[in-house]
Amino acid sequence: MQCIVNRRAQFSASHRYWLPELSEAENNEKFAACANFPGHGHNYVLFISLQGELDEYGMVLNLSDVKKVIKREITSQLDFSYLNDVWEEFGQTLPTTENIARVIYKRLSSYLPIVRVQLFEHPQLWADYMGNSMEAYLTVGTHFSAAHRLASPKLSKEENLEIYGKCARPHGHGHNYHLEITVKGEIAERTGMLVDLGALNKVIDDYVLEPFDHTFLNKDIPYFAEIVPTAENIALYISNTLREPIAKLGATLYKVKLIESPNNSCEIYCNNSESNLSGATQEQPVLVKL
């Protein structure tokens, strides 16, 4: 029986985004505040995923042994360090979140049956690396507040109440939505970035947060004049809206997760698949509701 187990660890470290071959002005333009001397720090949270067969004792691995390996090979070396200098890999490719995750994976792969490294720089920014050369995933978390009413203009009041319950009440209700945008791409050999984070945040601000925040979605977003703004439809709209501008940044939109409340969330996965009709490759969103 195959099983995946996860081990959590953490370390605190500083880093600086700075390329010596660029001028000060070029570094500042490229990396903004992240280029400031002498750098800045984070409390990193690390999750290591390991896969294997269950043994006779009901374990994939002895987690005490896993803990010792992670401490010896990773956290004891990175904790309270200046990342740019601690490992030779960071002299070649800057210690961005996605590149740190990649290097940790490579350093642990000789000792553990590792299948994923997830590294949180802070609660609203994290990277996932699965061992696929320079490919990684970067997730940005953000939020907006909006009201909506779940009612189709094509249905009667009674029909809407039957389908949507109290969510169909005429004056609507509101949520503090939490939004997670995950992009996929290749880590750049020199900068360590799969996407310009500042540019990605601007796209999310311009296309989602500014239009959506403090609105009544049914009335203020034209798309929802006819489409019921369920969490699923909102996530699908955000997915369709963001795919092209994110592609222009050189990355691929992988997932949109919308958390409507602590009890309700949904995820849209943007997968490449072959169209049976045209034979062309198209982006097909896949909905998962949790």
Side-chain angles (χ1 to χ4, degrees), residues 149 157 168-172 216:
R149 180 190 179 215
K157 177 181 177 181
R169 289 173 180 172
H171 298 295
F216 195 108

Side-chain angles (χ1 to χ4, degrees), residues 30-32 193 195-205 249:
K30 194 172 192 65
F31 303 121
M193 297 178 173
V195 70
D196 183 317
L197 184 58
L200 176 61
N201 281 325
K202 188 176 189 308
V203 163
I204 297 170
D205 285 346
L249 300 180

